[in-house]
Amino acid sequence: MAELTRALADAAAMAGRAPSVHNTQPWRWTVLPDRLELTLDTHRQLAAVDPQGRLAIVSCGAALHHARVALAAEGWEAVIHRLPDPARPDLLAVVLPGEARTPDPAAMRLVQSMWVRHTDRRPLGAEPLSAAAVSVLAEAARAEGVHLHVLDPGQVYDLAAAANRAAAVEAADERAQAELAYWTSRGDGLGVPASAVPAVPPATTVPARDFGRPGTLPVGEGHDRAAVYGVLYGPGDDRADWLRAGEALSAAWLTATVNGVALLPLSAVIEVDVTRSALRRLISGFGWPYLVLRLGIADPEHAGPAVTPRLAPRATVDTSRAQ
């Protein structure tokens, strides 16, 4: 395999470390001699709570950003063509390598963080997060064309009300509950393992998702009073916007990991139409909400969860046409 093709294959494999809703990993990479193709794998889309594929495409956008960063860390400029073929709506992006250049040290640090980035659903520690730290994450998202609106204390209570309503709506939806049970009972590198689910409901102002069964993640006595909540939002609400939202999520999360900030995405309020509309009112209708982020400093008294298992690269990366 030529050097360039190998770099593309390695970038696609590293993209498998990206976050995805319920760890569904709904992406498929095809490695060609001169480019990468990213397609949506609809078999791993959440049919009940994500019928439009919004969260699946956000997840694919996160994988796209991971691949871009991995290429930059190896010294390859990446030219991205998003949604290049209307006749192939599930072809989300084509990645064309540009000129070889000096490996980017900042990208190298982000790649290192991909190995340790994880979802921590425990309450946060009591240490407040500085405004400067939040600003760094907002800038990382803004560089991808997406904004982070930080909620004031009153808006956090509005968010909590919306999260409670979303939980009630989904608890009453048999299809949603069956889907959740399916994605929390797998052991094949997909889904949310028990080790990532709190053993008891954590004390938080904004309720996290109820997975319907206790996990094995120990939870301390802390609360999330020091948490900062924000809404990732952008100007539109179509596939191109969702893809960019995922790229922004990846950029913010990897930056958070490098800077010692715990980031927890909350998607349930996006999955229910009425609560998603409530979120849009919280940002004064300036754009469309894509995800809620909880930001803070992890509780230093307790070890966090391990990195969630992933599929082997051969399950998501097709190299059969690389020669």
Side-chain angles (χ1 to χ4, degrees):
M1 190 180 296
E3 179 184 0
L4 170 58
T5 309
R6 186 176 300 279
L8 292 172
D10 289 347
M14 185 56 72
R17 310 300 306 174
S20 57
V21 59
H22 290 358
N23 193 31
T24 49
Q25 302 167 57
W27 45 73
R28 183 71 176 170
W29 292 97
T30 301
V31 184
L32 299 166
D34 61 344
R35 66 188 185 277
L36 281 175
E37 291 185 351
L38 170 62
T39 54
L40 171 66
D41 187 339
T42 56
H43 294 97
R44 292 201 289 272
Q45 180 179 328
L46 302 176
V49 301
D50 189 31
Q52 294 179 298
R54 178 184 290 109
L55 293 173
I57 294 174
V58 168
S59 302
C60 288
L64 176 59
H65 181 264
H66 270 48
R68 286 170 44 200
V69 171
L71 285 171
E74 291 296 324
W76 294 97
E77 179 185 6
V79 178
I80 313 298
H81 296 280
R82 297 170 180 83
L83 300 171
D85 187 352
R88 298 174 61 191
D90 289 339
L91 176 60
L92 300 180
V94 172
V95 181
L96 297 173
E99 296 181 359
R101 56 187 181 184
T102 303
D104 184 345
M108 294 171 69
R109 287 192 292 274
L110 294 182
V111 167
Q112 291 172 346
S113 75
M114 293 177 191
W115 293 103
V116 297
R117 183 210 59 78
H118 61 276
T119 302
D120 191 345
R121 297 178 175 87
R122 303 172 303 155
L124 296 166
E127 180 183 350
L129 188 61
S130 70
V134 176
S135 179
V136 168
L137 304 190
E139 181 54 38
R142 191 178 304 115
E144 302 299 327
V146 175
H147 301 282
L148 177 64
H149 172 79
V150 177
L151 302 181
D152 64 34
Q155 290 176 320
V156 170
Y157 287 113
D158 291 336
L159 171 63
N164 276 308
R165 185 169 186 184
V169 169
E170 292 194 339
D173 186 331
E174 293 183 359
R175 290 181 65 241
Q177 290 304 298
E179 191 169 69
L180 184 63
Y182 176 78
W183 287 102
T184 54
S185 60
R186 302 177 63 110
D188 55 357
L190 287 168
V192 182
S195 59
V197 177
V200 296
T204 59
T205 301
V206 178
R209 188 187 298 275
D210 180 358
F211 286 93
R213 68 185 77 181
T216 60
L217 178 65
V219 175
E221 298 180 356
H223 199 278
D224 71 341
R225 294 183 182 88
V228 173
Y229 287 90
V231 179
L232 279 180
Y233 74 95
D237 189 35
D238 59 23
R239 288 190 162 210
D241 298 300
W242 305 339
L243 195 65
R244 293 308 298 254
E247 293 176 84
L249 172 65
S250 171
W253 206 337
L254 294 179
T255 301
T257 303
V258 168
N259 288 279
V261 176
L263 185 155
L264 174 65
L266 303 175
S267 64
V269 286
I270 299 295
E271 297 161 7
V272 176
D273 288 342
V274 65
T275 54
R276 187 163 174 265
S277 296
L279 275 187
R280 194 170 187 218
R281 289 193 292 273
L282 283 182
I283 58 175
S284 302
F286 288 144
W288 296 90
Y290 305 130
L291 276 177
V292 172
L293 306 182
R294 187 194 73 176
L295 307 171
I297 306 299
D299 185 350
E301 299 299 322
H302 301 277
V307 176
T308 302
R310 294 293 193 276
L311 291 171
R314 64 179 178 275
T316 59
V317 182
D318 178 8
T319 59
S320 64
R321 299 163 60 190
Q323 301 298 333

